[in-house]
Amino acid sequence: MFGDRHLIVVDLGFGDAGKGATVDWLCSPRAGLDVSAVVRFNGGAQAAHNVVADGRHHTFRQFGSGTLSGVPTLLSRHMLVEPLALAAEARELAAMGVAHPLSLLYADERALLTTPIHGAANRRREDTRGTARHGSCGIGIGETASYALDHDAPRVADCARPDVLRRKLIALEEHYAPLLAGGRHRYDPIDDLVAAYTAFAGAVAILPGEQLAGFARSGRLVFEGAQGVLLDEWRGTHPYTTWSTVEPRNARDMLARIGAPGYVLGVTRAYLTRHGAGPFPTEDPALSIPEPHNGTGVYQGAFRRGHLDPLLLRYAIDACGGIDGLAVNHLDAVGDIRTATGYLTADGCVDRLDCGVWQDLEHQRGLTDLLSAATPALADLPGDVPGYLEAELGAPVVLTAHGPDRADRTVRITAQA
């Protein structure tokens, strides 16, 4: 099905489409793919990839979703690493029976550190926006990325250099002091952070660069994305986006540097969801689909549900530069779902969204305006949802899921595959 290509798993929606469950299956003995590592290629500790397998449930945040199958995780230089959250996640995995979770973790020394200072600043900034919040998780992802644009930011390598780390943390604290003054958000003292990060450096393999070729020689790589393409920093519904390149550009570049082929597997639900503010044309509050692992977030707001939207999925595929195959999840929940055939707008009916050019935020703001005012034209969803999506999106559906468990996934071979 995939040949000898490494796999790049990317969410075609607003997130929460089932990337973690898909990666878990790809890494499991059921798939038989001989995976040597899961490579996290964007995002940070705000990820929430739910995996249910063999009676166990875990929400993966920084560890790769192949961990329950004993597959190591490589945190690439494109990840924003939060050591305190990683330590907490390691304890959760150990309690589930994963032996020595931190021994399965490798981190590129160039990756940026997300600290409690970033998190406090993030929450304070969202507080000041009031009802105009962007829908942040409140962990500090945007602050981590934006601070690093103009400052000598803390990185994973600094965890093994306490004096350098302390200097950088002091500078970070001074930078955010005016924003945090008088606010309610607190963080650990710098000396405590230095001690915790030094312990992190002693427990995790910190690599001088990504060392991708070595992992690739041992087996197949699975690149696990975070968030969804419709939240991409340059391709999403600006300003309701993440400070991260979600589309597979970085994963493709990493593979190109080692001369290895990649297969982009786009993931979608059989309907759409959004967790956070921003436009959502097919949203339908009347849909009462159970969501045991996603609820209302303090900064994100409510978890939203909507009908299938091939227009947005085609847009996401264009933003990815094309995909090779599709994984369709939540097929067990299509009872009341319909599908969009177009949008009714002030300028007439729209049945295709222009992807524009990369790094054009004015175009993205225009997309946000269009989607915010659009009324979807809905039709009944055909009974063969995978076949319908193949025809609408021009890519083969190679994997389907009719439930949350690893055992609920089925390989679907088509003529196109």
Side-chain angles (χ1 to χ4, degrees):
M1 178 166 56
F2 305 120
D4 61 354
R5 290 176 286 181
H6 303 285
L7 303 177
I8 304 171
V9 178
V10 60
D11 188 317
L12 299 176
F14 294 104
D16 300 299
K19 295 179 297 297
T22 301
V23 170
D24 168 75
W25 185 87
L26 293 170
C27 293
S28 72
R30 288 175 179 267
L33 296 178
D34 189 25
V35 177
S36 62
V38 170
V39 184
R40 297 298 303 272
F41 68 88
N42 77 298
Q46 89 278 37
H49 297 177
N50 287 286
V51 169
V52 179
D54 304 323
R56 297 183 292 178
H57 166 252
H58 179 70
T59 301
F60 285 95
R61 300 191 182 278
Q62 294 178 87
F63 277 84
S65 295
T67 302
L68 296 184
S69 295
V71 175
T73 299
L74 171 59
L75 303 177
S76 77
R77 67 185 180 93
H78 302 292
M79 270 287 286
L80 308 181
V81 178
E82 211 283 47
L84 302 183
L86 263 173
E89 187 173 357
R91 290 192 292 269
E92 293 172 6
L93 289 166
M96 293 175 60
V98 178
H100 310 295
L102 291 176
S103 70
L104 294 172
L105 199 64
Y106 299 83
D108 190 315
E109 67 176 6
R110 299 168 293 179
L112 292 168
L113 289 178
T114 294
T115 73
I117 303 172
H118 293 108
N122 178 188
R123 296 187 292 276
R124 174 62 172 164
R125 204 179 299 280
E126 282 291 275
D127 288 345
T128 63
R129 290 189 175 117
T131 58
R133 286 178 177 176
H134 289 176
S136 169
C137 293
I139 292 173
I141 301 303
E143 300 297 338
T144 304
S146 61
Y147 179 83
L149 293 176
D150 300 310
H151 301 85
D152 186 12
R155 296 183 183 271
V156 165
D158 300 325
C159 292
R161 304 183 295 181
D163 291 342
V164 173
L165 178 63
R166 180 175 283 101
R167 172 178 57 79
K168 289 187 176 184
L169 290 176
I170 290 172
L172 182 68
E173 182 177 55
E174 291 175 347
H175 173 79
Y176 281 116
L179 174 64
L180 294 172
R184 61 188 176 90
H185 301 292
R186 301 288 182 267
Y187 52 86
D188 298 332
I190 284 178
D191 284 346
D192 291 351
L193 293 178
V194 171
Y197 292 177
T198 301
F200 170 78
V204 172
I206 297 177
L207 304 180
E210 59 203 19
Q211 305 295 310
L212 201 64
F215 288 97
R217 283 193 293 269
S218 300
R220 193 189 304 265
L221 303 175
V222 174
F223 290 78
E224 181 176 0
Q227 294 81 55
V229 173
L230 300 178
L231 299 178
D232 184 274
E233 60 184 335
W234 296 113
R235 294 298 199 179
T237 53
H238 182 74
Y240 306 101
T241 55
T242 183
W243 281 70
S244 179
T245 298
V246 181
E247 49 96 346
R249 177 182 308 269
N250 290 334
R252 283 186 172 124
D253 287 348
M254 293 167 70
L255 285 174
R257 286 196 293 273
I258 64 171
Y263 180 108
V264 178
L265 181 62
V267 182
T268 180
R269 293 190 185 211
Y271 55 99
L272 259 63
T273 66
R274 183 161 193 166
H275 207 170
F280 188 179
T282 62
E283 181 176 14
D284 185 349
L287 292 175
S288 58
I289 303 169
E291 192 64 39
H293 302 136
N294 287 294
T296 298
V298 174
Y299 289 93
Q300 287 176 294
F303 189 79
R304 304 155 66 189
R305 300 161 180 81
H307 298 282
L308 186 61
D309 192 337
L311 284 78
L312 281 178
L313 294 177
R314 283 196 295 267
Y315 171 87
I317 290 171
D318 289 345
C320 289
I323 63 173
D324 299 293
L326 285 160
V328 182
N329 295 317
H330 296 266
L331 284 166
D332 54 319
V334 298
D336 296 323
I337 298 300
R338 306 187 77 198
T339 183
T341 59
Y343 300 143
L344 304 179
T345 74
D347 297 323
C349 185
V350 172
D351 61 6
R352 189 89 192 189
L353 298 172
D354 179 15
C355 197
V357 297
W358 190 50
Q359 295 188 328
D360 182 355
L361 291 184
E362 285 305 310
H363 177 274
Q364 299 312 118
R365 190 179 294 276
L367 174 66
T368 297
D369 292 343
L370 184 154
L371 295 176
S372 298
T375 299
L378 296 175
D380 290 340
L381 186 63
D384 179 10
V385 177
Y388 171 71
L389 284 173
E390 286 183 338
E392 288 290 316
L393 305 182
V397 174
V398 298
L399 187 65
T400 61
H402 287 77
D405 196 274
R406 181 189 294 169
D408 296 323
R409 278 156 175 74
T410 303
V411 174
R412 182 177 186 272
I413 304 296
T414 70
Q416 289 176 278

